[in-house]
Amino acid sequence: MNYREAEEYVLSFTNYEKTPGVPYTLANYDLRRMDELLVPLGNPHLAAKTVHIAGTKGKGSTAAMIHSILKTAGYRAALYTSPHLISLRERFKINDDLISESDFAALVTEIRPLVDEVTRRSAYGPLTTFEILTVAAFLYFQRQKADYQVLEVGLGGRLDATNVVPAPEVCVITSISLDHMAALGDTVAKIAREKAGIIKPGVVTVTAWLPDGAWQVVSDIAREKGSPRNVVREHHSWEELSSGLDGQELLVKGRLGQYRVHVPLIGSYQQENAVVAVAAVEALIEQGARITSEHIVHGLADVRWPGRFQILRRNPFLVLDGAHNRDSIEKFMSALGGLFGLIVPCICMPGYEFNPRVNTKKVYIICGMSVDKDIPGIIDGLIDCFFCTAAPADFFHFILTRADHPRAADPVMVREEFIKRYWKDRVQVVDKVDAAISQALAAAAPDGLVAVTGSLFVVGEALAWAEKHPEALK
């Protein structure tokens, strides 16, 4: 098989990333299917030391930070993340390099007979695209002789295909909020129970500061499994020294030392992610990892994580962020407002004067959502953060669009929901992402702001558009 054939083969299987609301049960997520693939391959998932990361938001950013620190320390570091933005190859990374098309094709060709055999038996239900990709990742990382593999959970944790590693070096749980509710549950406590399924007996668990409903659940599970728990904000603290469009500088106080770090990722919510990464790395140091404070500082300074508050262009500004639930939308919009001097939550109070720092004349928010998300909550998050009666009448404009993806919500339907909460003359529909971006940039130029958000699938299409139109980013 060549790369395209291998990609088509893998994507021909059950793909829950394209099918919303599949119940998170053994009937659909059975880890015995992973065993049927991994055991005949010699258990490649056991070859490298593992950092396992779950959470509603921030797990990808945190994974990228830990991976960057390990790479800087001289380790051969593997990174497995999902979903991808443009290419499946993004999910498989060794140090700075994505898997090549030829290596991906060779791996899939090699495991295809086994995959077909397991599919024919179907002893524990149909294999999924994510399971096949995860097995391919483990095999690739083993062949590449990775020292560490940093694994981002795909969905939940307890039944996720990545949860076959019996004894990671450290388990990490980032922030928890309402998302994937049809699958994981309609409260943060239920969602937390699924995320905490990655906690292993005796293995250190590092967690972000969790909301009350999640806090007790994770604490109880860690206690039951005898997992020492290291809680950020309880055992670590940080101070923001500066922040701007090129990132932010922090003073992080850890258990093993203090670190003055520059994080090139934008948004105050990335500060806690960085501290969680430091806490996880300190746990690795205590287990013998050869990582110094200089490695931590340089590793965080070198982290790259596309599609998360990524500035593609200035004059006018074009900003991308894959926020896709109310909590993350509010955080992104609050950061956008703070950095660009726009509107932030609770700013519409007596005495407030509208005064954009960058002389922005118009703001265009391009938003495309997935049908299985909390669409009313996302809309409320957008409006609560950006609506202000002090702004000029033509200041804010919302363009609703959709990704070319089976889970994409119909923007016409979203608009109906939108205009229940907002003036309809400021909300329009442009069906294609690339057309929405081109239209917004033309209308906002030269001193406006265009932000693309609501879905990683929409952000992925925006990045693909940017690759095809480099002249538009000048």
Side-chain angles (χ1 to χ4, degrees):
M1 286 188 288
N2 60 31
Y3 175 73
R4 295 303 167 201
E5 292 168 338
E7 184 181 52
E8 288 174 6
Y9 173 73
V10 171
L11 294 175
S12 71
F13 286 79
T14 302
N15 190 350
Y16 293 146
E17 291 179 12
K18 294 187 175 182
T19 308
V22 176
Y24 199 68
T25 63
L26 274 173
N28 300 310
Y29 298 85
D30 194 327
L31 293 182
R32 290 176 294 183
R33 295 196 293 262
M34 291 292 291
D35 290 337
E36 286 193 301
L37 295 174
L38 291 168
V39 171
L41 293 171
N43 292 316
H45 60 303
L46 305 180
K49 295 179 179 180
T50 299
V51 178
H52 200 191
I53 306 174
T56 303
K57 300 302 299 179
K59 60 183 183 293
S61 300
T62 304
M65 293 176 190
I66 295 170
H67 172 260
S68 185
I69 293 169
L70 288 167
K71 176 195 68 175
T72 302
Y75 288 106
R76 195 157 175 78
L79 178 63
Y80 181 60
T81 59
S82 61
H84 59 276
L85 295 173
I86 300 175
S87 167
L88 278 174
R89 297 172 51 228
E90 298 167 29
R91 303 181 184 224
F92 305 71
K93 192 173 185 180
I94 296 286
N95 287 357
D96 290 323
D97 300 320
L98 306 184
I99 189 172
S100 68
E101 290 190 356
S102 59
D103 282 344
F104 181 83
L107 273 174
V108 175
T109 300
E110 178 182 349
I111 67 175
R112 180 172 182 168
L114 177 60
V115 169
D116 289 344
E117 177 188 341
V118 171
T119 299
R120 281 193 298 270
R121 289 201 306 264
S122 191
Y124 305 111
L127 286 169
T128 69
T129 293
F130 187 74
E131 289 165 348
I132 297 168
L133 287 171
T134 303
V135 169
F138 286 135
L139 190 59
Y140 179 64
F141 296 158
Q142 179 196 50
R143 300 275 174 83
Q144 291 292 314
K145 295 180 169 42
D147 300 306
Y148 282 91
Q149 54 190 6
V150 182
L151 308 177
E152 179 193 8
V153 163
L155 178 67
R158 178 175 61 94
L159 300 176
D160 190 76
T162 61
N163 201 29
V164 291
V165 178
E169 305 304 300
V170 59
C171 298
V172 180
I173 298 177
T174 61
S175 68
I176 294 177
S177 56
L178 293 174
D179 198 11
H180 296 292
M181 292 178 285
L184 302 180
D186 57 0
T187 67
V188 291
K190 292 177 182 177
I191 293 170
R193 186 164 299 280
E194 298 300 342
K195 307 291 184 186
I198 71 166
I199 296 175
K200 303 297 189 300
V203 175
V204 174
T205 300
V206 172
T207 69
W209 191 262
L210 304 175
D212 290 342
W215 178 271
Q216 193 60 52
V217 170
V218 174
S219 298
D220 289 346
I221 291 175
R223 191 179 307 110
E224 289 167 8
K225 295 189 177 181
S227 170
R229 187 158 171 242
N230 187 342
V231 183
V232 168
R233 295 200 208 186
E234 189 174 284
H235 300 105
H236 296 74
S237 62
W238 71 94
E239 175 186 353
E240 178 188 300
L241 302 178
S242 64
S243 63
L245 298 180
D246 296 316
Q248 45 204 322
E249 191 169 354
L250 311 173
L251 179 63
V252 178
K253 298 179 181 179
R255 292 183 301 108
L256 304 183
Q258 289 193 147
Y259 317 92
R260 187 182 181 117
V261 301
H262 173 78
V263 182
L265 305 183
I266 304 171
S268 59
Y269 47 87
Q270 293 288 7
Q271 296 178 9
E272 185 166 34
N273 293 334
V275 181
V276 170
V278 169
V281 168
E282 286 189 330
L284 296 178
I285 293 171
E286 291 176 319
Q287 296 174 56
R290 301 180 306 278
I291 303 173
T292 67
S293 58
E294 288 78 13
H295 294 143
I296 292 174
V297 171
H298 292 302
L300 287 176
D302 196 43
V303 69
R304 300 293 181 269
W305 193 229
R308 284 74 173 180
F309 212 123
Q310 182 177 2
I311 299 176
L312 285 185
R313 169 180 169 159
R314 306 188 184 205
N315 300 319
F317 280 93
L318 175 59
V319 182
L320 313 181
D321 190 88
H324 52 260
N325 70 353
R326 178 166 184 165
D327 179 65
S328 59
I329 282 284
E330 288 180 346
K331 287 177 179 176
F332 169 56
M333 290 302 177
S334 177
L336 199 69
L339 283 167
F340 289 95
L342 305 176
I343 309 303
V344 295
C346 303
I347 208 73
C348 304
M349 302 180 69
Y352 173 73
E353 294 183 2
F354 183 80
N355 184 25
R357 287 201 300 269
V358 294
N359 192 31
T360 302
K361 290 184 178 179
K362 292 182 180 180
V363 175
Y364 286 83
I365 308 297
I366 299 172
C367 187
M369 309 177 201
S370 295
V371 70
D372 57 325
K373 299 300 181 181
D374 176 17
I375 292 174
I378 292 173
I379 293 171
D380 286 341
L382 286 168
I383 296 172
D384 288 351
C385 284
F386 263 72
F387 177 72
C388 178
T389 55
D394 64 343
F395 193 85
F396 293 109
H397 302 266
F398 292 90
I399 299 177
L400 304 177
T401 189
R402 69 170 129 199
D404 183 16
H405 193 280
R407 281 171 52 193
D410 180 354
V412 175
M413 179 275 292
V414 176
R415 184 177 185 273
E416 292 303 312
E417 197 67 37
F418 217 109
I419 61 179
K420 294 176 185 177
R421 300 164 168 81
Y422 198 59
W423 296 322
K424 63 181 180 180
D425 58 347
R426 296 200 198 182
V427 184
Q428 61 178 306
V429 170
V430 178
D431 203 54
K432 300 292 185 181
V433 174
D434 55 356
I437 295 173
S438 297
Q439 180 174 318
L441 286 175
D447 53 2
L449 168 66
V450 177
V452 182
T453 189
S455 164
L456 281 170
F457 304 124
V458 168
V459 166
E461 290 192 16
L463 287 170
W465 170 87
E467 283 189 0
K468 294 176 182 176
H469 300 88
E471 75 285 352
L473 304 183
K474 296 177 181 178

